[in-house]
Amino acid sequence: MAALNIKKGSSSHSAYDLRDFHSEVERSHTLAVIVENEPGVLARVIGLFSGRGYNIDSLTVAEIDHKGHTSRITIVTRGTEAVIEQIRAQLGRIVPVHEVHDLTTEATAVERELALFKVAGTGEKRVEALRLADIFRANVVDSTLESFVFEITGTSDKIDAFAELMRPLGLVDVARTGVAALARGV
Amino acid sequence: MSRQMTGAEMVVQALKDQGVDTIFGYPGGAVLPIYDAIFQQNDIKHILVRHEQAAVHMAEGYARSTGKPGCVLVTSGPGATNAVTGLTDALMDSIPLVVFSGQVPTFMIGTDGFQEADTVGITRACTKHNWLVKDPSKLSETIHQAFHVATSGRPGPVLIDLPKDVQFASAEYTGPKTARTEHYRPKVKGDLDAITKLVEMMETAERPIFYTGGGVINSGSAASQLLRELVDATGFPITSTLMGLGAYPASGKNWLGMLGMHGLYEANLAMHDCDLMINLGARFDDRITGRVADFSPNSVKAHVDIDASSINKIIQVDLPILGDIGHVLEDLLKVWKARGRKTNKEGLGKWWSKIDEWKKVRCLSYTNSDTIIKPQYALQRLEELTKGRDRYITTEVGQHQMWAAQFLGFEAPNRWMTSGGLGTMGYGFPASIGVQVAHPDALVINIAGEASWLMNMQEMGTATQFRAPVKQFILNNERLGMVRQWQDLLHGGRYSQSWSESLPDFVKLAESFGWKGIVVSDPKELDDAIMEMIEYDGPVLFDCLVEKHENCFPMIPSGKPHNDMLLSADAEAFRGGAALV
Ligand SMILES: Cc1ncc(C[n+]2csc(CCOP(=O)(O)OP(=O)(O)O)c2C)c(N)n1
Ligand SMILES: [Mg+2]
């Protein structure tokens, strides 16, 4: 080793510098995958995750450029640095995948999720639900004498917190979109 | 140039425009229009197989021995599902294939129609990419894209599923030049700074080694040429995986032989003890690394690969270089020469003395016999008697495959076709037919085990029909030898279901298909029998009755490090806790 004059574990992130052993800590990463909008492309992405044993915590997909036939898939996954690097490389290998971005490491990103909550109840609980919804800036998008449907947007943590608060107040049903994310700045 | 034609005609036209001369296939209801178009032309030869799995293996043999993509045509439902093993095999070994499957008409898809299968769904996991073409106007472009995808970047099999109504419908045909391929353009040039860094390491390394794989073969013959130049000029030792044999000649002075589970002692120890490992187009497969934690613990590792996902997948490397081997080798040589062709001569001298010590172990030695043909001896004689010829070897899977890799020498790329990644018994015989179709006058030999060979024996008819003079060299130990070996070493000699019972009389079987059959059991008659096989103008089934209980060594038990190798039948040492993989 000495004869090679090489330091292991250089901190530079260039493609060829000697790297440190990857840490074993698992972390949540948000990946943005820009794909050709063609049949089966979502199945390929999901098949990759199930076939190779990776986790999907959240997944959203929609066409973002009708003329260019591209869709954006946002995936929240979890793994060690080495696993995330593998996931990125494996995604990049799928033929209709144009770009893969790790929004957790490449840049700071804004992440938002939209959720709908149906809360049923009367009296004190109903009033309390409405008061908390106001604090969380949730909108009432439907109401009956016994129920509300709230619409809330925010980070996944915020939505989790809102769900916790609604549960004792008569939470009946939840629909969440999963995370949409964009890098900050230009 | 564009003109109106039916979907079926487009398939044939696109194949011609892609330079295809041969397609392996089997007809059925859902591809009849394409068969009709094939009937009405003479440019593309159709090889009628006896089972679709074999069609895919033939196309693999064709592709591996020519460097061109192999083409297959199968019908819907069972035709497509029969192709799945071959597709998986080709995906694992990065073999470029373009497979066409018939499908029920578009208006019937999803109704569980007769011979309907979700072919794109089933083959999504075993193709590099696949397409279901529903719009006839997109068909010709899709086929041209399919050829592009199969052959560029890391090669692999692709599949196009063609509903029957699309084959009948008329649309405009467009040629290869207008096909849109720009969004799939894998990077071929390696980063020059990284290449320079590698040269710097090569200049000072005391114990360097080249570890090469199938990527060198896939990169084309120029890559093998450059590899030879680099290895000979630097004087570094070189070893190769099963898939990379032939890229550097076995007679070359720096050749250490194959590495891995059944690789040579000197190759594995050199990998374990090196200080600079230069991986060219290999993928740190588990048959190579053994126990990952102990894999070559003190080396700096560089890895050149065209597939980013192969880098840092199993072994964390210090210097990744993403690019095509041929391109990277060209730059590497340029930079190394420009900087004065430096190596650490003193270090290298010591390194080679160490390697020469390891070679003295003579790890491939075995106890020969006057009365029974040892499988190793049969291969040594075959090697001796076919050496000077431009010979193509395919294999099945098992002990015979490993012995073939150990005892046969490969001087050129594309002469060795074996199922490495998937380990598919039944691969070798059809692959040999595919090779022979591509090289009608060459000597093509399939080194087989009797059990593997039976898995696709129906292809005897194909060889007869298309006058493919393939030689089937069966090392008949009347055992599923590799299974028996593991049972011997790991399961207390309880040989559960590892006999080859009720074998046919191979000579009679040969004759019934119009082949020549030869059976030999006496070592003294072996040479004459081999010569008779080689000189016979037609297919030969060579039943070589060999020792039934021979084990294949050296062997690194699964989950053991490289320096913990079994050199002989030391079963006790082996039982001391090998992983059961
Ligand atoms: C399709 C398939 N099924 C099962 C196996 C597992 N397997 C590996 S080697 C082997 C025995 C091969 O026997 P034979 O072809 O006679 O070769 P030998 O080892 O005796 O040389 C088996 C069953 C396999 N590789 N492929
Ligand atoms: Mg056998």
Side-chain angles (χ1 to χ4, degrees), chain B residues 396-401 403 422-425 448-453 455 475 477 479-483 500:
Chain B
E396 303 289 347
V397 171
Q399 291 178 316
H400 62 277
Q401 176 190 30
W403 280 315
L422 196 63
T424 311
M425 290 172 71
E450 80 296 334
S452 295
W453 193 82
M455 283 208 176
L475 294 172
N477 52 11
R479 300 288 181 279
L480 314 184
M482 192 56 97
V483 172
S500 288

Side-chain angles (χ1 to χ4, degrees), chain A residues 44-112:
Chain A
R44 281 176 216 284
V45 170
I46 293 173
L48 169 71
F49 277 75
S50 63
R52 293 186 185 265
Y54 306 136
N55 303 310
I56 297 182
D57 289 340
S58 156
L59 182 136
T60 66
V61 55
E63 189 172 67
I64 51 165
D65 179 358
H66 185 64
K67 259 173 117 183
H69 291 286
T70 47
S71 294
R72 184 182 179 103
I73 302 177
T74 309
I75 304 170
V76 181
T77 182
R78 168 171 298 284
T80 61
E81 241 180 274
V83 167
I84 299 295
E85 184 185 327
Q86 238 328 271
I87 294 175
R88 283 187 66 172
Q90 293 289 355
L91 284 168
R93 211 155 78 113
I94 296 175
V95 174
V97 167
H98 294 264
E99 291 165 47
V100 185
H101 298 286
D102 184 342
L103 296 178
T104 307
T105 56
E106 274 176 27
T108 51
V110 278
E111 297 194 3
R112 289 291 179 274

Side-chain angles (χ1 to χ4, degrees), chain B residues 84-90 92-93 283 397 419-425:
Chain B
V84 164
T85 301
L87 288 169
T88 312
D89 191 272
M92 289 287 265
D93 284 345
R283 58 183 177 88
V397 171
S419 171
L422 196 63
T424 311
M425 290 172 71

